[in-house]
C-alpha cells in the first residue's frame, strides 16, 4: 500500500492551484451519486475522475485513482474524451440491469448532462450520436472493448447492447413483442453458448472475437445487424486443460438431458410462444447422454450445484433465443444432434455418432484412412477423429453465425444505413505450465497480434483527436510523442508471418534462423528476442527440452512473451483432409452444407486479412474504447500493485496518459463560455475582463486555451472557476482598491494599448485641470499678498492718524 502522504500529494496536485500569495484555493466540485451501483458515497471532490486530469500521470498516480474508484464500488474512470476504463467489481448486477438502463435513458438523454462522472452508457450514447452525426461522412462509429480474460468485457458488451436495444424499443422486455432488438440480444445468448468456455480466470470467457454491426435509421431505431467473428478457438473442443471447461453448449446439453423432466415442464410453460419446443425436448430425450464423456471430463465432476443450475437455465434461454431468431425446428434439431454426435464420436461410439451425425459411412471411411506406418493405428485414429470434431464444430459455429446474420439483416435497406460496430476483443494471452514457464503456440500468437493491432488503433485515435482539436481552433501545441507499437506489428507482419508463409524445410534453414535473419533485415531487433531466458531454476534436461522447441520472444506492450515457433508452423496450415469431406455424405442439412477451407490457406494470413478488414470498418475519428481491468481476479485491487501495473502497461494507458494530460480538454464555444461566467461574476462583463481575471491569478496556461471558435479548458478548471470567484476572490472585487488592480492588469497587457492610451489622455486632462487649479491658487496667493500689503498700509495710516489725533488732543 502507498502511504497516506503520497495519497494526499496526488489529491493536492490533482485539483488545487496556487495563487500569487501561495495560498491554496480549494476546488469544491460536487458530483452526483453514481447511477448504476447503489448505496455509494459521493465521489471525492478532490479526486480526478478522468485519467487525463492527473497532472503527473505516472503508474503510481493512475493506480491511486483506480484504487479509489474500486473502494467506492464505482466501475468507470474516464480516459480522455472517447474512452473509459472499466473496473470489474465482480458483482452480479443482472437483476438491476433493466431498471438501470430505463432509469439512465429517462434521466440522461442528453450526454452533456451536469454529472461529469464517466459511464459506459454515456459512451454508448456518444457512439450512437457520432454514428448519426451530419459531420460523419462514413456514417459509422465503433466501440472497441479490450482487456484480459476475466476483466468484464462480455458483461460490458452486454450492457451496451441492452442499453441500445432498450432505447430503440421500449417494448423489448415483453415476450409477445418480436423485434430486431430482441433478436440482437438473443444473438449473444446463442453465440455465447457455442463460443464461450470456462477458463482459469473467467467462468464465461469468449473464445472468439465478436463484432456486431448495428444498423440504424435516422430516428435511432435499429433496422438490422450483422455478426462478424474472428479467431474462433475451435481446437478447445478436444483440448483438456486443468481448471477449465469445454464450450458451454456441451455441458448445457448434457444437464438438459439429465434433467429432462424439468425441461419438459419448461416446454409446457412456453409452448404458446414457442410451439416447437415440445418436439425439441422429445428429441433431446433420445440423445443417450447418460454416460461419463471424455469431452466433458474437465470440471464435469467438480462443477458446483450453482454451476449446474446455471448451465440448465442458460440452455432454456438458448432454446428461446433460437425462437427469437426464427431458427426452424429442423435446424434446431440438426444443431443439437450435431453436438451430441460429436460427444459420442469423441468416445469412439461410432454407432451412436453415425446416427446423430447422419453419416452411415463414418466408421468405414475413418478405417480406410488408417494406414500401416510407424505411427500406431490408435494414434492415427485419435488424430483423424480429433480433426473431424474440430472441423465440424468450427463449421457448425460458422453456420450458426451465418444463419443469425440472415435473420438479423432481413428487410434492411443497405443504402440507408448508419452503422455502429461493437467489438468484444482480446487481451494479451499467455499460457504457462506448472513450472511457470510460457507455452504459447499459434493460438496465443494470433490473439496477441490482433491485440497489438487494436492497441495501435487506440494510440492513433488519441493522437488524431488531439491534433484535430487544436487544428480546428487554429492553435499550435507541442505534444509529447507516445511510444507506439509499430515495431511490434512490423515484427509480426514483415518477419514472422512472412517467414511462416515462405518457409520451406528443403532449404536446410530452420524457421527460427529464418526469422532471426528477417528481423535484422526489417530493423525490428529492439522488440525481437532470438534467445529468450526461459527461467533461472530449470534443470539441464528441462532447458534442453525448451531448446528443442525452438522458442522465440517478442517484447510486447507491457510483457515479454515467448512462442514455440515450431508448434506455430505446425499448426499454421489449415487442417483440411479428404477424411473431412465425409460431411457431404451426411443427411443432416447443416453438416452437409459445411464448406472446407483450402488446404494451403495459412491461419496467419487469414487472421491478418480479417483484422485489417475490421479495423478498416472501425476507422479512427469516431472510435470509442472501453479498457477493462480484472482488478487482480476477484481480489482487492490493492493486493498486488504489480498485477495492475502490468495491466496498465499492456493496455497502453501508461503510454497514452501523458499525451492525454496535455491534449484532453472540454471544448466550449467562446460566446457560451464567456456568457456563463459573465452571469456568475458580478464585476466581469466582457471576454477581455475574464481573460484578465484568469491571467491575474496565474492559472497554468496549459489548463486552458482560447481558440478561434471555442475555449479549450480542463474539466476540473471549468467546474472550479465559479467557486474560486465566489469563495476566495470576492474580497478583490469588493475592495476600494479594485480600480487600482484593474489598472495594474491593464498596464501589463499589450492587448489593452487603446484603453491605456485613453487612460493617459484622461490623466493629461486631469493634469491640465490640476495645473489650472495651481494657477488659480497662485493667483489667490498673489492677491492675498497684495491684500496684506494694503492692510499693512492701512494699519500704518491708522497708526499715523492715531498719532496725529493724539497730538491734536494734547494741544
Amino acid at each position: 500500500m502507498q502511504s497516506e502522504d503520497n495519497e494526499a500529494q496526488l489529491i493536492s496536485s490533482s485539483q488545487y492551484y496556487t495563487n500569487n500569495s501561495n495560498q491554496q484555493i480549494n476546488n469544491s466540485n460536487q458530483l452526483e451519486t453514481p447511477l448504476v451501483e447503489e448505496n455509494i458515497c459521493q465521489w471525492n471532490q478532490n479526486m480526478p475522475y478522468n485519467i487525463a486530469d492527473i497532472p503527473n500521470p505516472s503508474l503510481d498516480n493512475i493506480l491511486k485513482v483506480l484504487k479509489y474508484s474500486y473502494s467506492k464500488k464505482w466501475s468507470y474512470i474516464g480516459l480522455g474524451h472517447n474512452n473509459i476504463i472499466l473496473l470489474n467489481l465482480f458483482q452480479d448486477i443482472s437483476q438491476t440491469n433493466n431498471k438501470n438502463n430505463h432509469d439512465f435513458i429517462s434521466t440522461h438523454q442528453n450526454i452533456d448532462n451536469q454529472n461529469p462522472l464517466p459511464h459506459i452508457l454515456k459512451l454508448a450514447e456518444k457512439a450512437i450520436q457520432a454514428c448519426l452525426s451530419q459531420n460523419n461522412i462514413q456514417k459509422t462509429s465503433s466501440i472497441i472493448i479490450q482487456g484480459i480474460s476475466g476483466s468484464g468485457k462480455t458483461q460490458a458488451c452486454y450492457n451496451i447492447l441492452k442499453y441500445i436495444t432498450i432505447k430503440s424499443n421500449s417494448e423489448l422486455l415483453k415476450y409477445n413483442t418480436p423485434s430486431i432488438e430482441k433478436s440482437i440480444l438473443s444473438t449473444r445468448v446463442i453465440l455465447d453458448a457455442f463460443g464461450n468456455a470456462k477458463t482459469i480466470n473467467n467462468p464465461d470467457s469468449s473464445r472468439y472475437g465478436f463484432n456486431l454491426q448495428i444498423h440504424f435509421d435516422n430516428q435511432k431505431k435499429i433496422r438490422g445487424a450483422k455478426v462478424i467473428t474472428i479467431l474462433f478457438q475451435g481446437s478447445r473442443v478436444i483440448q483438456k486443460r486443468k481448471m477449465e471447461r469445454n464450450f458451454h453448449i456441451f455441458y448445457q446439453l448434457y444437464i438438459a438431458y439429465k434433467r429432462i423432466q424439468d425441461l419438459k415442464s419448461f416446454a409446457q410453460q412456453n409452448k404458446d410462444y414457442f410451439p416447437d419446443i415440445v418436439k425439441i425436448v422429445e428429441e433431446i430425450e433420445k440423445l443417450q447422454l447418460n454416460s461419463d464423456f471424455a469431452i466433458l471430463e474437465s470440471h464435469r465432476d467438480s462443477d458446483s450445484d450453482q454451476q449446474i443450475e446455471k448451465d440448465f437455465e442458460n440452455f432454456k434461454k438458448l432454446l428461446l433465443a433460437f425462437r427469437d431468431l426464427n431458427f426452424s425446428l429442423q435446424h434446431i434439431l440438426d444443431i443439437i444432434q450435431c453436438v451430441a454426435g460429436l460427444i459420442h464420436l469423441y468416445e469412439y461410439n461410432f454407432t451412436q455418432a453415425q446416427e446423430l451425425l447422419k453419416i452411415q459411412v463414418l466408421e468405414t471411411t475413418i478405417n480406410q484412412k488408417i494406414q500401416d506406418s510407424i505411427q500406431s493405428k490408435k494414434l492415427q485414429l485419435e488424430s483423424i477423429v480429433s480433426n473431424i470434431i474440430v472441423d465440424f464444430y468450427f463449421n457448425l459455429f460458422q453456420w450458426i453465425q451465418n444463419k443469425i446474420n440472415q435473420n438479423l439483416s432481413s428487410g434492411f435497406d443497405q443504402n440507408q444505413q448508419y452503422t455502429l460496430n461493437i467489438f468484444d476483443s482480446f487481451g494479451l494471452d499467455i499460457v504457462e505450465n506448472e513450472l511457470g514457464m510460457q507455452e504459447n503456440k499459434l493460438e496465443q500468437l494470433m490473439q496477441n497480434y490482433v491485440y497489438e493491432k487494436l492497441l495501435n488503433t487506440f494510440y492513433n485515435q488519441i493522437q488524431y483527436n488531439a491534433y484535430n482539436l487544436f487544428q480546428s481552433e487554429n492553435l499550435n501545441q507541442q505534444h509529447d510523442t507516445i511510444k507506439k507499437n509499430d515495431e511490434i506489428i512490423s515484427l509480426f507482419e514483415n518477419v514472422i508471418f512472412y517467414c511462416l508463409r515462405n518457409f520451406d524445410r528443403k532449404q536446410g534453414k530452420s524457421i527460427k534462423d529464418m526469422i532471426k535473419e528477417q528481423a535484422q533485415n526489417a530493423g525490428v531487433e529492439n522488440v525481437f528476442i532470438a534467445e529468450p531466458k526461459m527461467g533461472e531454476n530449470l534443470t539441464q534436461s528441462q532447458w534442453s527440452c525448451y531448446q528443442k522447441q525452438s522458442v522465440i520472444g517478442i517484447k510486447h506492450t507491457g510483457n515479454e512473451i515467448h512462442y514455440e515457433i515450431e508448434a506455430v508452423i505446425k499448426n499454421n496450415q489449415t487442417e483440411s483432409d479428404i477424411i473431412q469431406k465425409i460431411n457431404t455424405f451426411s443427411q443432416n442439412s447443416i453438416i452437409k452444407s459445411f464448406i472446407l477451407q483450402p488446404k494451403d490457406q495459412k491461419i496467419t494470413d487469414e487472421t491478418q486479412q480479417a483484422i485489417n478488414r475490421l479495423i478498416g470498418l472501425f476507422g479512427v475519428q469516431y472510435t470509442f474504447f472501453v479498457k477493462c481491468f480484472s482488478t487482480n481476479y476477484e481480489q482487492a485491487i490493492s493486493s498486488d500493485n504489480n498485477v495492475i501495473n502490468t495491466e496498465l502497461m499492456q493496455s497502453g494507458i501508461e503510454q497514452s496518459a501523458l499525451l492525454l494530460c496535455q491534449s484532453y480538454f472540454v471544448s466550449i464555444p467562446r460566446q457560451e463560455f464567456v456568457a456563463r461566467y459573465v452571469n456568475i461574476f458580478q464585476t466581469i462583463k466582457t471576454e477581455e475582463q475574464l481573460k484578465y481575471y484568469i491571467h491575474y491569478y496565474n492559472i497554468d496556461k496549459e489548463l486552458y486555451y482560447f481558440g478561434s471558435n471555442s475555449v479549450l479548458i480542463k474539466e476540473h478548471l471549468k467546474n472550479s472557476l465559479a467557486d474560486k470567484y465566489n469563495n476566495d476572490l470576492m474580497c478583490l472585487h469588493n475592495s476600494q482598491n479594485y480600480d487600482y488592480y484593474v489598472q495594474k492588469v491593464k498596464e501589463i497587457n499589450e492587448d489593452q494599448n487603446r484603453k491605456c492610451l485613453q487612460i493617459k489622455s484622461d490623466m493629461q486632462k486631469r493634469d491640465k485641470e490640476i495645473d489650472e487649479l495651481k494657477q488659480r491658487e497662485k493667483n489667490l496667493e498673489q492677491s492675498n499678498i497684495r491684500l496684506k500689503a494694503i492692510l499693512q498700509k492701512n494699519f500704518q495710516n491708522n497708526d499715523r492718524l492715531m498719532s496725529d489725533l493724539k497730538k491734536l488732543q494734547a494741544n
Side-chain angles (χ1 to χ4, degrees):
M1 289 287 292
Q2 300 292 325
S3 67
E4 293 183 0
D5 290 340
N6 289 339
E7 298 278 359
Q9 290 175 7
L10 172 67
I11 294 174
S12 174
S13 65
S14 298
Q15 296 284 337
Y16 287 80
Y17 303 93
T18 305
N19 65 12
N20 286 345
S21 60
N22 294 321
Q23 295 176 344
Q24 286 187 324
I25 303 174
N26 188 0
N27 166 21
S28 57
N29 176 28
Q30 298 293 334
L31 308 180
E32 295 178 10
T33 302
L35 298 169
V36 175
E37 293 78 2
E38 300 175 356
N39 300 322
I40 304 176
C41 299
Q42 283 190 326
W43 190 266
N44 187 328
Q45 61 187 11
N46 299 318
M47 182 63 71
Y49 45 80
N50 195 305
I51 296 300
D53 281 326
I54 302 177
N56 179 22
S58 64
L59 277 176
D60 286 343
N61 284 346
I62 295 172
L63 180 58
K64 290 167 188 172
V65 177
L66 298 185
K67 287 181 181 180
Y68 182 81
S69 180
Y70 186 88
S71 69
K72 294 300 179 184
K73 302 301 179 186
W74 177 249
S75 299
Y76 313 110
I77 301 169
L79 192 59
H81 286 290
N82 294 342
N83 314 307
I84 62 171
I85 296 173
L86 187 152
L87 300 179
N88 190 353
L89 303 179
F90 291 94
Q91 294 179 339
D92 185 6
I93 58 174
S94 58
Q95 299 301 318
T96 57
N97 271 343
N98 293 338
K99 178 179 183 299
N100 290 328
N101 278 278
H102 282 295
D103 289 348
F104 190 96
I105 292 170
S106 62
T107 59
H108 289 77
Q109 290 288 342
N110 181 5
I111 60 175
D112 295 324
N113 64 79
Q114 296 302 309
N115 182 5
L117 279 174
H119 197 286
I120 195 168
L121 302 187
K122 278 187 181 181
L123 183 139
E125 180 61 32
K126 288 178 68 176
I128 295 173
Q129 293 193 17
C131 170
L132 300 172
S133 171
Q134 294 182 352
N135 298 325
N136 187 349
I137 299 176
Q138 295 181 334
K139 300 179 181 179
T140 299
S141 63
S142 304
I143 300 174
I144 299 177
I145 307 170
Q146 282 187 293
I148 64 175
S149 181
S151 59
K153 301 188 300 294
T154 300
Q155 185 63 47
C157 182
Y158 179 79
N159 287 344
I160 292 172
L161 288 178
K162 198 64 176 291
Y163 170 73
I164 293 172
T165 51
I166 288 177
K167 185 168 183 179
S168 177
N169 183 0
S170 61
E171 299 298 313
L172 178 65
L173 301 180
K174 297 181 180 179
Y175 268 135
N176 59 357
T177 311
S179 64
I180 181 63
E181 292 84 3
K182 192 172 182 181
S183 296
I184 287 174
L185 293 180
S186 296
T187 292
R188 200 64 203 255
V189 173
I190 297 173
L191 293 180
D192 285 357
F194 288 85
N196 286 21
K198 181 178 182 180
T199 64
I200 293 176
N201 300 323
N202 186 1
D204 188 28
S205 176
S206 298
R207 308 318 299 163
Y208 61 100
F210 169 83
N211 183 68
L212 180 66
Q213 290 184 323
I214 300 178
H215 306 295
F216 298 90
D217 61 18
N218 55 10
Q219 301 299 317
K220 300 183 183 180
K221 296 296 182 182
I222 298 175
R223 290 292 177 246
K226 180 181 179 181
V227 173
I228 302 173
T229 60
I230 183 175
L231 275 182
F232 178 69
Q233 187 192 358
S235 60
R236 171 170 286 269
V237 75
I238 59 168
Q239 291 177 346
K240 298 178 182 179
R241 297 182 178 181
K242 293 182 179 180
M243 305 301 294
E244 296 192 351
R245 298 203 321 175
N246 209 326
F247 292 104
H248 291 331
I249 184 59
F250 293 103
Y251 304 88
Q252 293 175 7
L253 185 58
Y254 178 77
I255 195 62
Y257 177 83
K258 290 289 189 181
R259 296 178 57 174
I260 195 66
Q261 296 304 320
D262 293 336
L263 194 62
K264 287 181 178 179
S265 298
F266 172 76
Q268 290 298 320
Q269 296 169 7
N270 291 274
K271 64 181 181 180
D272 291 340
Y273 173 68
F274 190 7
D276 290 333
I277 194 171
V278 175
K279 178 62 176 176
I280 294 171
V281 174
E282 291 174 354
E283 292 300 317
I284 291 175
E285 192 173 13
K286 302 175 184 178
L287 297 177
Q288 298 187 22
L289 300 177
N290 49 2
S291 303
D292 292 335
F293 295 99
I295 209 167
L296 303 173
E297 180 178 350
S298 179
H299 268 248
R300 179 191 59 221
D301 298 327
S302 59
D303 278 346
S304 64
D305 292 340
Q306 183 179 5
Q307 179 63 59
I308 293 172
E309 185 63 29
K310 183 176 181 181
D311 287 334
F312 185 62
E313 291 300 319
N314 285 339
F315 186 76
K316 293 190 292 186
K317 293 179 182 178
L318 174 64
L319 294 179
L320 296 178
F322 280 138
R323 168 66 180 87
D324 295 339
L325 280 153
N326 298 317
F327 278 65
S328 69
L329 171 62
Q330 190 58 53
H331 283 155
I332 298 173
L333 293 179
D334 286 347
I335 291 170
I336 291 174
Q337 289 169 349
C338 181
V339 173
L342 296 182
I343 294 175
H344 285 289
L345 181 58
Y346 201 61
E347 299 292 319
Y348 308 108
N349 183 351
F350 292 109
T351 301
Q352 196 65 29
Q354 288 181 155
E355 181 180 344
L356 290 168
L357 297 175
K358 299 180 181 179
I359 306 175
Q360 296 305 315
V361 297
L362 178 62
E363 184 176 10
T364 302
T365 309
I366 291 175
N367 289 332
Q368 290 175 350
K369 183 66 177 178
I370 297 175
Q371 302 174 351
D372 293 329
S373 63
I374 298 176
Q375 190 179 38
S376 69
K377 292 184 178 181
K378 179 181 178 181
L379 290 178
Q380 291 184 63
L381 176 64
E382 290 176 355
S383 176
I384 293 170
V385 168
S386 294
N387 285 339
I388 293 174
I389 292 174
V390 171
D391 184 77
F392 274 30
Y393 193 78
F394 173 80
N395 279 282
L396 175 63
F397 185 84
Q398 295 299 317
W399 185 93
I400 291 173
Q401 175 185 320
N402 293 336
K403 182 63 177 176
I404 287 173
N405 283 335
Q406 290 176 11
N407 293 327
L408 290 179
S409 62
S410 61
F412 176 72
D413 185 355
Q414 294 289 337
N415 296 322
Q416 298 180 3
Q417 67 179 7
Y418 297 88
T419 304
L420 170 63
N421 291 288
I422 303 173
F423 188 33
D424 181 356
S425 180
F426 315 100
L428 284 178
D429 190 22
I430 304 175
V431 174
E432 295 182 345
N433 62 17
E434 62 276 5
L435 297 175
M437 310 307 299
Q438 295 185 24
E439 293 183 337
N440 303 299
K441 298 181 175 62
L442 179 65
E443 176 187 323
Q444 289 74 39
L445 181 81
M446 299 315 302
Q447 181 170 323
N448 294 340
Y449 164 68
V450 170
Y451 179 81
E452 294 285 0
K453 289 286 286 187
L454 294 173
L455 184 59
N456 194 261
T457 302
F458 172 64
Y459 290 143
N460 290 336
Q461 178 235 54
I462 293 175
Q463 290 186 317
Y464 181 90
N465 289 341
Y467 176 81
N468 273 10
L469 179 64
F470 280 82
Q471 284 292 109
S472 65
E473 296 297 332
N474 296 317
L475 295 169
N476 293 320
Q477 186 188 26
Q478 297 296 323
H479 299 303
D480 289 349
T481 56
I482 62 177
K483 183 181 178 181
K484 295 169 59 178
N485 59 346
D486 295 321
E487 273 191 293
I488 300 173
I489 294 173
S490 179
L491 174 60
F492 272 107
E493 297 179 347
N494 300 326
V495 177
I496 296 176
F497 293 172
Y498 171 84
C499 292
L500 292 174
R501 188 182 307 116
N502 296 283
F503 177 67
D504 186 352
R505 293 189 185 277
K506 296 179 181 179
Q507 296 177 353
K509 184 185 296 184
S510 70
I511 182 65
K512 183 172 181 176
D513 289 339
M514 185 178 180
I515 291 175
K516 288 167 61 175
E517 181 179 332
Q518 186 65 18
Q520 293 178 347
N521 296 336
V524 292
E525 301 98 320
N526 291 334
V527 293
F528 175 68
I529 307 170
E531 302 295 339
K533 294 181 180 180
M534 304 303 297
E536 299 178 356
N537 301 319
L538 290 181
T539 65
Q540 185 63 39
S541 61
Q542 289 170 338
W543 176 254
S544 299
C545 178
Y546 279 111
Q547 285 293 95
K548 291 178 181 178
Q549 292 174 343
S550 190
V551 178
I552 64 170
I554 297 177
K555 294 179 182 178
H556 278 277
T557 304
N559 267 97
E560 178 180 307
I561 301 181
H562 308 150
Y563 300 95
E564 298 174 6
I565 197 63
E566 287 292 340
V568 168
I569 195 170
K570 177 181 178 182
N571 297 323
N572 183 39
Q573 187 166 295
T574 303
E575 292 288 346
S576 180
D577 194 272
I578 188 63
I579 190 66
Q580 293 167 295
K581 293 182 180 179
I582 55 176
N583 66 294
T584 59
F585 298 109
S586 177
Q587 298 304 308
N588 182 312
S589 61
I590 295 178
I591 296 176
K592 194 175 185 67
S593 69
F594 288 166
I595 300 175
L596 301 179
Q597 296 176 324
K599 183 176 177 59
D600 59 349
Q601 184 167 358
K602 306 292 185 181
I603 295 175
T604 49
D605 294 339
E606 178 189 352
T607 303
Q608 184 177 352
Q609 294 166 9
I611 189 58
N612 286 336
R613 284 194 299 267
L614 274 177
I615 291 176
L617 293 175
F618 298 153
V620 175
Q621 183 175 6
Y622 299 104
T623 299
F624 302 77
F625 279 85
V626 179
K627 296 284 188 175
C628 298
F629 279 76
S630 70
T631 60
N632 203 14
Y633 307 130
E634 300 193 57
Q635 302 177 37
I637 192 171
S638 60
S639 63
D640 189 348
N641 288 359
N642 291 331
V643 173
I644 306 302
N645 283 343
T646 298
E647 282 195 72
L648 284 171
M649 290 185 290
Q650 289 177 354
S651 65
I653 292 175
E654 181 199 24
Q655 296 288 349
S656 60
L658 179 61
L659 181 61
L660 283 171
C661 179
Q662 298 173 344
S663 63
Y664 164 73
F665 295 90
V666 177
S667 179
I668 306 174
R670 285 180 68 152
Q671 291 183 348
E672 177 184 332
F673 179 83
V674 174
R676 177 183 302 179
Y677 294 103
V678 165
N679 291 334
I680 296 174
F681 298 171
Q682 298 175 359
T683 54
I684 293 180
K685 303 300 182 184
T686 66
E687 178 180 313
E688 296 302 323
Q689 289 176 336
L690 180 59
K691 285 183 179 179
Y692 301 150
Y693 167 74
I694 298 175
H695 176 81
Y696 180 80
Y697 274 86
N698 290 335
I699 296 175
D700 191 346
K701 180 65 175 70
E702 293 184 355
L703 297 178
Y704 71 96
Y705 295 86
F706 277 80
S708 57
N709 301 308
S710 302
V711 175
L712 309 182
I713 188 168
K714 285 292 186 180
E715 177 74 32
H716 51 260
L717 176 59
K718 174 180 74 74
N719 294 332
S720 65
L721 277 177
D723 292 332
K724 289 178 183 295
Y725 176 87
N726 292 326
N727 298 335
D728 296 278
L729 305 179
M730 188 66 75
C731 59
L732 171 66
H733 295 277
N734 292 336
S735 171
Q736 294 179 353
N737 296 323
Y738 173 69
D739 290 338
Y740 166 77
Y741 289 112
V742 173
Q743 181 63 32
K744 183 177 179 181
V745 172
K746 289 180 180 180
E747 291 174 356
I748 62 174
N749 280 278
E750 296 181 357
D751 293 338
Q752 293 303 302
N753 288 336
R754 183 184 59 80
K755 291 186 178 181
C756 288
L757 291 175
Q758 183 64 45
I759 292 172
K760 290 180 180 179
S761 176
D762 292 342
M763 291 178 65
Q764 289 175 355
K765 291 180 180 178
R766 292 175 186 171
D767 290 343
K768 184 176 180 180
E769 291 175 355
I770 291 172
D771 290 341
E772 291 176 353
L773 289 174
K774 287 182 178 180
Q775 184 63 42
R776 290 176 60 186
E777 181 182 13
K778 184 177 181 181
N779 292 339
L780 287 173
E781 289 178 352
Q782 291 176 352
S783 297
N784 287 336
I785 291 173
R786 288 195 298 272
L787 180 60
K788 287 180 180 179
I790 293 172
L791 289 174
Q792 187 175 5
K793 285 184 178 181
N794 288 337
F795 286 139
Q796 290 176 353
N797 291 335
N798 287 340
D799 289 343
R800 287 196 298 272
L801 290 174
M802 290 296 294
S803 177
D804 292 341
L805 179 60
K806 288 179 180 179
K807 289 179 180 179
L808 290 174
Q809 290 176 347
N811 295 329

